[in-house]
Amino acid sequence: MRVSTMTYILKQGFKNIWRNIRFSLASIATMAACIFLFGIFLSLVMNFRYMVHSAEEGVYFDEGVKQEQIDDIGSKIKKMSEVERAEYVSADQAWEAFRDEYLGGDDTLAEGFRDQDNPLANSASYQVYLKNVESQDKVVKEIEKMDGVRQVSQSQ
């Protein structure tokens, strides 16, 4: 396509927009409203998905708790009727997830920590997913009563 043809097309396009200014403004307003409504709908869906995903609890243990007691706490949590599932996260897995999320997986940023120097050594936990969010307070109170449980973090 030649340059003169392109300039002619652009010139005619702007001329027609100016001649039909009301229709042009109406179509711009319609497109803006559609994009705005789509943005609102998308933000609602994303917030809902985030709330559902974050409806979980983290159960952290006291220092010096043996693995057998951690496993016992995990089996008690899994037996609760309100709990959909509970996933054990070891201290090494927590460190790996932290490095990936906050350090971008860049080992040069974490090279100050050797394998035996895990800064999250006492952060083994269970991620607890509930069947129903309304039962969260009841489950938290039950878990907090268990021996060896240091903290139960929950989404509010």
Side-chain angles (χ1 to χ4, degrees):
M1 189 182 294
R2 295 188 323 219
V3 175
S4 62
T5 306
M6 283 296 289
T7 56
Y8 175 77
I9 290 171
L10 288 174
K11 188 173 157 184
Q12 289 299 313
F14 284 115
K15 194 182 292 185
N16 285 325
I17 287 173
W18 185 252
R19 285 182 188 158
N20 302 310
I21 191 74
R22 283 190 225 145
F23 289 116
S24 299
L25 292 176
S27 68
I28 290 171
T30 303
M31 292 299 292
C34 289
I35 292 170
F36 178 72
L37 290 175
F38 179 75
I40 288 176
F41 178 73
L42 182 65
S43 67
L44 289 174
V45 168
M46 295 298 285
N47 281 332
F48 181 73
R49 289 181 69 200
Y50 174 75
M51 288 182 345
V52 168
H53 180 68
S54 66
E56 63 185 42
E57 302 170 1
V59 179
Y60 299 94
F61 309 106
D62 292 330
E63 280 189 45
V65 173
K66 303 215 180 317
Q67 188 62 39
E68 296 85 30
Q69 189 175 3
I70 291 174
D71 294 338
D72 184 46
I73 291 170
S75 65
K76 288 178 184 176
I77 291 171
K78 290 176 184 176
K79 288 179 184 175
M80 292 181 182
S81 61
E82 297 88 0
V83 174
E84 182 178 325
R85 71 181 197 274
E87 298 174 356
Y88 177 70
V89 179
S90 69
D92 293 333
Q93 291 170 332
W95 173 240
E96 300 264 336
F98 180 84
R99 272 195 353 218
D100 290 342
E101 185 173 342
Y102 293 104
L103 303 178
D106 188 6
D107 289 333
T108 58
L109 294 174
E111 69 185 15
F113 300 103
R114 294 180 299 277
D115 290 335
Q116 63 269 19
D117 276 346
N118 184 353
L120 301 176
N122 292 320
S123 63
S125 65
Y126 273 98
Q127 294 297 316
V128 181
Y129 299 89
L130 303 175
K131 293 178 183 174
N132 194 352
V133 178
E134 285 83 26
S135 62
Q136 183 177 23
D137 291 332
K138 177 184 173 191
V139 172
V140 168
K141 287 178 185 174
E142 286 183 40
I143 294 174
E144 285 176 338
K145 292 178 187 175
M146 295 180 187
D147 289 333
V149 174
R150 171 179 44 129
Q151 175 188 2
V152 178
S153 65
Q154 62 179 333
S155 60
Q156 293 292 332

